[in-house]
């Protein structure tokens, strides 16, 4: 080994601690191991993750990939020092996008970028990612931790996630037989999920509230805790319902863009939906956001999920079977409206009003 020059610089002096990164990898190995599933049983630490589709039980699979982040919800995790659930959000935003295409999420990889690696916080973040993978039934097969001083402020970090799933050929959603008269169901959200947090944080700042005060809409928790409630992962109940009945025609994940932007993504161009806003079980957080920020109903519908995190489309005469299958899987579906013929630019029309 060469001798260090007396005036020579090191990577550590430039702000990057390779030893801290290696220590974090060792600390998270048991967390990663706990997410193993058929098809994935290798240790992390190689140059890539492996997955065996045949061992997972697939015969003629189509692969489905998705990637996403968590947005500025991360700022609340950083400012409160609560890093244990943001990884669940990261997984949820990716795997929910996969299951709505009728596919089973199989494996996940994360990208964690920070200015200065704090291994304790990093382990908590990965612990959340591993928990999200466990809830989704997918394996965490790899990831990347990047320490970039000068690009991120000390204490700041960002996350990105990448998920791959599969479906047998011919079973992908949406199906081509979505038609006017089909019923639209909604599955409740756990709160704000991971969209609209730039507006959420603006409203909190306008209200002059600290993260550690009791939440105005949930007095048993602090505001920070309540807003960090993780995004629901719909994978297992939806896969159970899809396997029990072949009556689900389309699924839509309500993320950025809310109802007007996400529902049309799974409809033929000549169709839209008519939603009964009175039927939406609006979570208390949305009423508080609307009132405190004086946010118009149309803006709420396009920014937030408002209490419905996922949309299910089924034939009206098979709706009872789908509702039964979803309830059996632990969901609480609500009837939101119907598919209608639409030649208009606005393909999501509403009646009634949100209970804000």
């Amino acid at each position: 080994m060469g001798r260090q020059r007396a005036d020579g610089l090191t990577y550590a002096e430039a702000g990057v601690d390779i030893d801290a990164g290696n220590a974090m990898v060792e600390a998270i190995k048991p967390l990663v191991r706990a997410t193993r599933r058929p098809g994935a049983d290798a240790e992390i630490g190689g140059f890539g993750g492996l997955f065996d589709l045949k061992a997972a039980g697939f015969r003629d699979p189509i692969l489905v990939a998705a990637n996403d982040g968590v947005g500025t919800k991360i700022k609340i995790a950083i400012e409160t020092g609560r890093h244990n659930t943001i990884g669940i959000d990261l997984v949820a935003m990716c795997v929910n996008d996969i299951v709505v295409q009728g596919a089973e999420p199989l494996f996940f990889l994360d990208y964690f970028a920070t200015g200065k690696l704090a291994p304790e916080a990093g382990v908590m973040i990965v612990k959340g990612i591993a928990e999200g993978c466990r809830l989704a039934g997918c394996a965490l097969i790899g990831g990347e931790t990047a320490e970039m001083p000068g690009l991120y402020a000390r204490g700041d970090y960002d996350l990105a996630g990448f998920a791959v799933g599969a479906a047998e050929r011919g079973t992908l959603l949406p199906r081509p037989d979505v038609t006017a008269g089909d019923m639209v169901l909604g599955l409740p959200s756990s709160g704000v999920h991971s969209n609209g947090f730039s507006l959420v944080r603006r409203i909190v700042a306008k209200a002059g509230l600290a993260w550690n005060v009791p939440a105005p809409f949930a007095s048993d928790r602090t505001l920070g805790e309540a807003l960090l409630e993780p995004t629901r992962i719909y994978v297992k109940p939806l896969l159970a319902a899809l396997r029990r009945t072949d009556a689900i025609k389309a699924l839509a994940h309500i993320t950025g863009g809310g109802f007007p932007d996400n529902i049309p993504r799974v409809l033929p161009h000549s169709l839209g939906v008519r939603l009964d806003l009175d039927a939406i079980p609006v979570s208390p957080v949305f009423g508080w956001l609307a009132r405190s920020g004086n946010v118009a109903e149309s803006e709420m519908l396009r920014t937030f999920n408002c209490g419905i995190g996922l949309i299910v489309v089924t034939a009206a005469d098979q709706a009872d079977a789908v509702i039964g299958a979803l309830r059996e899987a632990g969901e609480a579906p609500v009837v939101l409206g119907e598919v209608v013929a639409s030649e208009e630019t606005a393909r999501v029309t509403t009646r009634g009003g949100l209970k804000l």
Side-chain angles (χ1 to χ4, degrees):
M1 190 189 312
R3 185 181 303 165
Q4 174 68 36
R5 294 174 180 268
D7 59 349
L9 292 174
T10 67
Y11 208 12
E13 287 169 338
V16 178
D17 189 343
I18 293 174
D19 292 335
N22 291 338
M24 180 177 151
V25 169
E26 289 304 311
I28 67 175
K29 279 186 177 180
L31 303 174
V32 174
R33 216 171 281 135
T35 70
R36 286 177 172 173
R37 53 152 293 155
D41 57 8
E43 286 280 327
I44 60 168
F47 287 99
L50 307 178
F51 194 90
D52 185 343
L53 282 165
K54 189 172 287 187
F58 287 90
R59 298 180 305 278
D60 186 17
I62 301 291
L63 294 179
V64 179
N67 73 299
D68 211 335
V70 186
T72 60
K73 188 174 187 175
I74 285 178
K75 289 292 289 182
I76 302 177
I78 292 169
E79 290 168 11
T80 60
R82 298 178 63 87
H83 307 289
N84 57 321
T85 60
I86 203 75
I88 299 176
D89 290 289
L90 183 67
V91 176
M93 295 303 288
C94 297
V95 297
N96 285 342
D97 279 356
I98 284 178
V99 76
V100 297
Q101 296 178 79
E104 175 187 353
L106 300 175
F107 60 86
F108 188 86
L109 300 98
D110 69 277
Y111 176 76
F112 168 40
T114 185
K116 179 65 178 174
L117 181 61
E120 301 83 4
V123 170
M124 290 303 295
I125 291 165
V126 177
K127 186 175 182 180
I129 293 171
E131 174 63 9
C133 287
R134 189 190 66 79
L135 292 170
C138 66
L140 179 56
I141 67 169
E144 168 70 5
T145 299
E147 194 174 19
M148 295 185 282
L151 186 57
Y152 293 90
R154 195 179 190 91
D156 278 352
Y157 63 85
D158 198 8
L159 297 171
F162 309 85
V164 173
E168 293 293 352
R169 192 178 303 273
T171 65
L172 287 171
L173 298 179
R175 283 170 25 185
D177 60 342
V178 177
T179 187
D182 285 346
M183 188 171 288
V184 178
L185 310 174
L187 303 184
S189 67
S190 57
V192 185
H193 284 185
S194 298
N195 296 103
F197 272 88
S198 293
L199 179 55
V200 169
R201 291 168 48 249
R202 181 81 176 267
I203 291 169
V204 170
K206 179 183 175 186
L209 296 177
W211 298 123
N212 61 356
V213 303
F217 51 88
S219 58
D220 60 328
R221 294 188 288 174
T222 67
L223 181 59
E225 287 174 320
L227 289 175
L228 285 172
E229 178 69 31
T231 306
R232 281 199 63 205
I233 292 177
Y234 296 95
V235 171
K236 289 184 178 179
L238 283 178
L239 289 178
L242 286 165
R243 287 162 183 160
R244 183 174 169 187
T245 173
D246 63 355
I248 295 176
K249 294 186 175 186
L251 299 166
H253 186 200
I254 303 303
T255 57
F259 295 89
D261 288 359
N262 286 292
I263 298 177
R265 294 165 69 178
V266 300
L267 300 175
H269 290 300
S270 60
L271 299 176
V273 297
R274 184 180 298 117
L275 301 179
D276 180 4
L277 299 184
D278 292 326
I280 294 178
V282 178
S283 308
V285 61
F286 297 113
W288 178 78
L289 288 169
R291 292 189 301 272
S292 299
N294 194 27
V295 184
E297 183 180 81
S298 59
E299 185 70 13
M300 292 294 295
L301 288 167
R302 197 174 185 198
T303 305
F304 300 115
N305 67 65
C306 297
I308 294 293
L310 199 131
I311 295 291
V312 182
V313 178
T314 179
D317 61 359
Q318 294 180 301
D320 287 344
V322 172
I323 290 170
L326 289 167
R327 285 177 177 163
E328 176 106 358
E331 285 295 335
V334 295
V335 177
L336 291 183
E338 63 280 332
V339 177
V340 295
S342 176
E343 300 296 338
E344 303 175 14
T345 304
R347 295 170 62 199
V348 176
T349 57
T350 62
R351 55 176 177 255
L354 292 174
K355 298 185 181 72
L356 298 170

